[in-house]
């Protein structure tokens, strides 16, 4: 292992100004969004990224799809069969996958559950719209 200068990572640019106020979030307090039975999303949204806590029940499928946002998925518990543009793998705790914009992908659980964390940059538009609709807020431009 090569140890690098900690100051290069933990330093602060004196010209940088806070873009907002940080927020602590209790996962159980985050409203759940569900597009498919058994696939529960709990998104935490920042200005340019989204962290989405996902619980998949047994025998649940996230249909093959593609989107404009870049995505990283990290399996935390259980397992899920993941298809990255035809490359199928079983993801278990500690397995991550990067999905570039526009790349087709999908997933399904078999007999077990899966808990994963998805990171989207920028935030996943359709999930933001679902959150706004659930809260009774108009979509931007309405």
């Amino acid at each position: 292992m090569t140890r690098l200068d900690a100051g290069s990572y933990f330093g602060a640019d004196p010209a940088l100004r806070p873009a907002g106020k940080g927020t602590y979030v209790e996962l159980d307090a985050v409203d759940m969004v569900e597009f498919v039975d058994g696939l529960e999303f709990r998104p935490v949204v920042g200005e340019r990224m989204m962290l989405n806590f996902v619980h998949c029940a047994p025998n649940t499928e996230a249909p093959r799809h593609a989107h404009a946002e870049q995505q990283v998925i990290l399996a935390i518990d259980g397992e899920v069969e993941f298809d990255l543009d035809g490359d199928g793998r079983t993801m278990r705790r500690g397995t991550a996958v990067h999905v570039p914009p526009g790349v087709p992908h999908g997933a399904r659980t078999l007999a077990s559950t899966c808990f994963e964390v998805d990171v989207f940059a920028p935030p996943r538009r359709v999930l933001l719209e679902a959150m706004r609709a659930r809260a009774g807020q108009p979509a931007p431009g309405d």
Side-chain angles (χ1 to χ4, degrees):
M1 175 178 86
T2 302
R3 183 172 301 251
L4 302 175
D5 171 42
S8 64
Y9 185 83
F10 295 104
D13 179 349
L16 189 61
R17 299 291 172 247
K21 184 174 179 171
T23 308
Y24 288 98
V25 176
E26 293 290 333
L27 187 55
D28 290 338
V30 176
D31 285 338
M32 181 185 60
V33 177
E34 189 175 53
F35 292 100
V36 175
D37 288 340
L39 187 57
E40 301 173 350
F41 298 152
R42 294 185 187 273
V44 177
V45 182
E47 183 181 330
R48 293 182 289 192
M49 51 123 358
M50 172 187 284
L51 187 64
N52 187 32
F53 296 90
V54 181
H55 179 265
C56 306
N59 304 305
T60 300
E61 181 175 355
R64 188 174 166 91
H65 62 285
H67 42 74
E69 301 85 3
Q70 154 172 231
Q71 181 179 11
V72 174
I73 301 155
L74 173 63
I76 302 294
D77 191 38
E79 60 183 37
V80 62
E81 302 294 317
F82 197 84
D83 171 17
L84 178 65
D85 199 18
D87 181 5
R89 309 269 175 108
T90 301
M91 293 180 61
R92 295 179 180 84
R93 187 179 133 204
T95 306
V97 61
H98 172 248
V99 182
V103 173
H105 59 285
R108 67 185 175 120
T109 54
L110 300 176
S112 72
T113 62
C114 180
F115 179 64
E116 65 186 47
V117 176
D118 296 352
V119 178
F120 291 99
R124 181 91 162 88
R125 182 187 51 79
V126 71
L127 193 47
L128 289 173
E129 290 170 359
M131 292 168 63
R132 285 186 188 105
R134 182 181 181 121
Q137 298 173 348
D142 284 357

